[in-house]
Amino acid sequence: VEAIFSISMAATRLLSKFVVLDIDGVILKGGFLVPGAVGAVKQLADHRIPYVFVTNGGGMTEANKAADLSKKIHLDVDPAQVILSHTPWRDLKETYANSKVLVIGGQPRCLEVAHCYGFNKACSVEQIHTENPTMYPLRKPSPNQSQSSDPCAPVEAVMVFHDPVDWGLEMQAICDALAPSQLVQHPSLATPENRARGHIPLYVSNADIAYATEHPYPRFTQGAFTTALKHLYEVHHKQPLVIEYCGKPYDVQYKYATQVLHQQARNQHTRSDECHTHSPQSEQPPTQSSEAVYFGVGDNPLSDIRGANNAGPQWRSILVRTGMFSDRSAANDATDPAHYVCESIVEAAQLIVDYDGEQSS
Ligand SMILES: [Mg+2]
């Protein structure tokens, strides 16, 4: 009986498809919809193919981004379907629930995101400045600034949620918090991990150096700040600066996306059981018996394509021509070639729906 069962399982082996969609340059361009994008996303939904939006944007909650995206694409986007650059830090909730975490990025929004993630004692650079009025000789702290919830406690981790806005003050505050001497002054910080690293953890959510705006030339973003910070830190403290990155192209983003996609498939399966409707993709939740294939769709070879290419053998990268990659004379990106190059999300969605497991080109 067991043999017959396994033969029948093999005969009904299905391909479970999962999709990671970038937003800017794929769904939206300069705030406007890419033609056909809504239909393409609907096509994935109609075929019960789980998809998530994975963007290197951040500085807001997933719920806010989902609401904003829902308005722009006229589709109901669930906050669980949105993965921002810093979303994987939700998994650090247990670690830093009661730790003083220094949050970098536009205030008060980034601090609100940190609190929403469960970092109850998150604080801002402005609060640190208020607690240490002499730390930045060029400027006095703002008189209206509140103190953090635990002014005497040392900072236990630094998290760059979004683009720094006040580089001088931020560089000083981060270099102070990450000083090797902190581990000597505060025995509670002298954990084996911190001692091995030489400083408390520094988390950075986006390594991109520049991004496209309405300005004629690309503008600096988080990665530019981190590059400058790393140099300054290493010159000043005479030891390497260790950075824990997330965001695309880092693996942590794809591992997180995979978990969310599988959860979505399980929810779909439960829902289709409840209403007795079946479709090829939802009849079989992702198990050992179904073969999974993941598609990463994006416009930026350096983040979207490199990330999907490095995420594992089950991943297929799809480069679209509606964003950063716009050189009509190039068949593919030279440095980070994609498995497939498509005109737009419309062609990409069709490719995914039609995909039957052939080897990539
Ligand atoms: Mg993009």
Side-chain angles (χ1 to χ4, degrees):
V1 173
E2 212 171 76
I4 293 167
F5 179 71
S6 62
I7 288 166
S8 95
M9 285 304 285
T12 58
R13 177 176 286 251
L14 283 169
L15 208 53
S16 292
K17 300 172 188 175
F18 302 92
V19 181
V20 160
L21 293 172
D22 179 34
I23 299 175
D24 294 310
V26 176
I27 308 288
L28 301 171
K29 194 173 183 193
F32 294 99
L33 275 168
V34 167
V38 175
V41 176
K42 273 195 182 134
Q43 195 184 4
L44 297 178
D46 290 345
H47 283 81
R48 313 288 302 247
I49 298 172
Y51 61 90
V52 284
F53 297 100
V54 181
T55 170
N56 267 359
M60 64 178 80
T61 62
E62 292 76 9
N64 285 345
K65 184 71 181 180
D68 181 52
L69 195 57
S70 297
K71 241 184 263 163
K72 284 180 177 147
I73 69 173
H74 319 294
L75 281 177
D76 229 0
V77 177
D78 188 323
Q81 277 178 300
V82 173
I83 300 175
L84 303 168
S85 61
H86 45 65
T87 301
W89 294 345
R90 283 179 173 275
D91 287 350
L92 297 174
K93 182 183 170 171
E94 313 281 290
T95 315
Y96 298 116
N98 291 304
S99 307
K100 189 169 183 175
V101 172
L102 175 57
V103 170
I104 307 293
Q107 301 298 339
R109 272 208 327 201
C110 287
L111 203 53
E112 286 162 12
V113 178
H115 287 141
C116 159
Y117 281 11
F119 307 136
N120 298 311
K121 293 186 177 171
C123 66
S124 66
V125 168
E126 291 76 16
Q127 286 174 322
I128 297 279
H129 192 193
T130 299
E131 290 161 19
N132 307 274
T134 55
M135 70 166 273
Y136 195 57
L138 300 178
R139 200 190 310 149
K140 285 192 169 62
S142 156
N144 306 320
Q145 187 60 56
S146 64
Q147 290 206 335
S148 70
S149 60
D150 204 350
C152 300
V155 172
E156 290 182 47
V158 178
M159 294 184 178
V160 184
F161 272 78
H162 201 47
D163 289 12
V165 287
D166 193 355
W167 284 34
L169 179 61
E170 285 155 333
M171 290 262 180
Q172 185 70 71
I174 296 175
C175 284
D176 289 348
L178 295 169
S181 60
Q182 292 285 339
L183 309 188
V184 181
Q185 281 169 31
H186 305 280
S188 65
L189 296 180
T191 62
E193 296 81 14
N194 284 349
R195 276 191 281 129
R197 198 190 291 111
H199 57 78
I200 62 166
L202 168 63
Y203 298 92
V204 171
S205 66
N206 178 4
D208 295 350
I209 298 275
Y211 72 126
T213 68
E214 63 268 30
H215 191 79
Y217 305 102
R219 300 292 84 191
F220 289 147
T221 182
Q222 249 190 72
F225 175 82
T226 315
T227 305
L229 171 71
K230 188 172 166 62
H231 183 74
L232 177 59
Y233 180 92
E234 293 180 353
V235 168
H236 184 60
H237 286 309
K238 300 180 179 63
Q239 68 169 29
L241 178 66
V242 181
I243 303 173
E244 320 268 351
Y245 278 109
C246 65
K248 295 177 283 186
Y250 295 97
D251 203 40
V252 56
Q253 224 64 10
Y254 292 85
K255 287 215 170 79
Y256 195 93
T258 305
Q259 283 174 21
V260 173
L261 286 166
H262 287 182
Q263 185 57 49
Q264 238 185 77
R266 280 193 291 273
N267 294 348
Q268 265 184 16
H269 188 61
T270 316
R271 274 201 301 275
S272 64
D273 273 357
E274 279 165 2
C275 54
H276 306 289
T277 56
H278 293 279
S279 66
Q281 172 97 35
S282 67
E283 260 175 80
Q284 197 147 345
T287 61
Q288 306 291 19
S289 58
S290 70
E291 212 175 301
V293 57
Y294 303 86
F295 297 91
V297 184
D299 68 307
N300 188 343
L302 253 175
S303 56
D304 301 308
I305 304 310
R306 180 175 294 184
N309 286 349
N310 291 341
Q314 291 164 300
W315 283 80
R316 298 285 174 275
S317 53
I318 304 180
L319 178 60
V320 293
R321 292 184 182 273
T322 46
M324 298 275 281
F325 181 72
S326 54
D327 179 2
R328 305 301 311 185
S329 66
N332 204 335
D333 185 65
T335 317
D336 293 285
H339 290 98
Y340 302 99
V341 179
C342 290
E343 276 307 311
S344 74
I345 175 77
V346 176
E347 202 182 301
Q350 193 61 52
L351 184 152
I352 293 165
V353 167
D354 293 343
Y355 187 86
D356 62 4
E358 311 151 330
Q359 284 307 299
S360 59
S361 55

